Amino acid sequence: MKEELKVFFTAVMFYTRIPCPSWVDHSPAYINKSVRYFPLVGWIVGTLAGVGLVMGDAWISPLFAALLFVAISVWVTGAFHEDGFADVCDGFGGGWTQEQILNIMKDSRVGTYAVVGLTLLILIKVSLLVEIIPHFSSWMLLLIVINGHALSRFMAATVIYTHQYVREDEQSKAKPVAKSFTINNLLLAIVFGSLPLVALSVITHQLLWLFMLPVLYLVKVLLGRHFQRKIGGYTGDCLGATQQIVEVTYYLLVVLVWRFI
């Protein structure tokens, strides 16, 4: 039991800035195992940010609520995934060869592609949340955003299972990254990633929500193919970019789904 707790807290420590017990570290072995809890970490981040969303809407306005939601998400994770998305924008936008792309993504400096890409991403995310908020109750909103964080992290985790890690020098700007994903880890990630969506479908008595899974996986497949074509696999930054893009796609699907329920 303590072994499994250490794996879970390793996931929390690796993917967030939430304080963890002192006996948890960044052991590569535990980081690889901790990927199975990546979607569960999404539950935590989504709950914290979702409470801010609900309270912000009740107290001030949908726009403030959406901005607060993004701010809490960034604060809790230390902009971990946003940083990956920004690096991918710079690398894939400014690099022509695999070596150039990988070197640019490893550079700590921020370029034009990163600034423009991240700005547009946040604006799109906020605008979609503002569109979603008026149409759902507080509890539904909370469940919806928990889904967004869980599903996007699950899709990012599947990249580890389906693609090869490409950095050979083992260098990282901040932390190591999980590089392997067993079938048992994948099955557990599927449970944590899809359970909130199943709950949403049961509560609303609408199977339409479940059709988000193949659509979001298609987005992951397209991103994976792009990564494969450009650099021959994935890096930790690619995982962050996948999480962010899938999360935004999920909110877009929510906007479309509520029109039919």
Side-chain angles (χ1 to χ4, degrees):
M1 185 63 180
K2 185 175 180 179
E3 177 80 4
E4 201 61 29
L5 277 175
K6 187 170 184 178
V7 174
F8 168 71
F9 280 120
T10 298
V12 175
M13 175 181 283
F14 184 58
Y15 297 113
T16 77
R17 290 189 172 180
I18 297 173
C20 292
S22 59
W23 40 266
V24 181
D25 55 28
H26 285 111
S27 166
Y30 282 102
I31 288 174
N32 280 325
K33 294 178 182 178
S34 73
V35 180
R36 58 178 174 253
Y37 291 119
F38 194 13
L40 187 56
V41 170
W43 291 26
I44 298 171
V45 179
T47 299
L48 295 173
V51 170
L53 181 80
V54 171
M55 293 174 63
D57 179 49
W59 292 348
I60 301 181
S61 70
L63 178 57
F64 175 79
L67 290 169
L68 184 61
F69 173 83
V70 173
I72 294 174
S73 299
V74 169
W75 176 67
V76 172
T77 62
F80 191 51
H81 310 300
E82 288 82 1
D83 177 68
F85 175 80
D87 285 341
V88 166
C89 288
D90 266 346
F92 284 77
W96 290 95
T97 66
Q98 179 192 41
E99 184 179 3
Q100 287 177 336
I101 293 172
L102 291 175
N103 286 336
I104 292 172
M105 286 197 292
K106 191 165 59 177
D107 193 332
S108 60
R109 291 171 295 183
V110 177
T112 302
Y113 290 107
V115 173
V116 173
L118 195 55
T119 300
L120 290 174
L121 179 84
I122 292 174
L123 287 174
I124 293 171
K125 188 182 297 187
V126 168
S127 66
L128 290 171
L129 288 168
V130 169
E131 181 68 23
I132 291 169
I133 289 171
H135 303 289
F136 297 95
S137 66
S138 296
W139 285 108
M140 281 291 291
L141 280 174
L142 189 59
L143 185 54
I144 284 170
V145 296
I146 290 173
N147 261 294
H149 279 273
L151 283 170
S152 60
R153 283 163 173 78
F154 165 59
M155 294 302 169
T158 64
V159 175
I160 301 173
Y161 186 76
T162 58
H163 291 73
Q164 194 73 24
Y165 186 76
V166 295
R167 287 203 183 278
E168 298 178 354
D169 56 9
E170 298 296 323
Q171 292 183 17
S172 172
K173 291 175 293 185
K175 302 175 182 178
V177 63
K179 305 180 186 69
S180 63
F181 202 22
T182 67
I183 185 63
N184 290 334
N185 285 338
L186 177 64
L187 292 174
L188 196 56
I190 289 173
V191 172
F192 289 131
S194 60
L195 191 58
L197 191 65
V198 173
L200 189 60
S201 179
V202 171
I203 291 172
T204 60
H205 304 288
Q206 293 289 341
L207 292 177
L208 190 59
W209 294 101
L210 298 179
F211 285 97
M212 288 186 175
L213 279 172
V215 175
L216 294 177
Y217 191 77
L218 176 61
V219 173
K220 172 263 174 180
V221 169
L222 294 175
L223 287 170
R225 286 183 178 178
H226 185 59
F227 299 150
Q228 186 69 33
R229 185 170 66 254
K230 289 289 187 177
I231 61 174
Y234 76 93
T235 68
D237 289 328
C238 295
L239 300 181
T242 300
Q243 187 277 321
Q244 286 291 296
I245 294 171
V246 172
E247 184 186 353
V248 169
T249 304
Y250 166 79
Y251 297 137
L252 175 61
L253 292 176
V254 172
V255 171
L256 297 176
V257 165
W258 77 261
R259 299 175 186 269
F260 298 98
I261 61 175

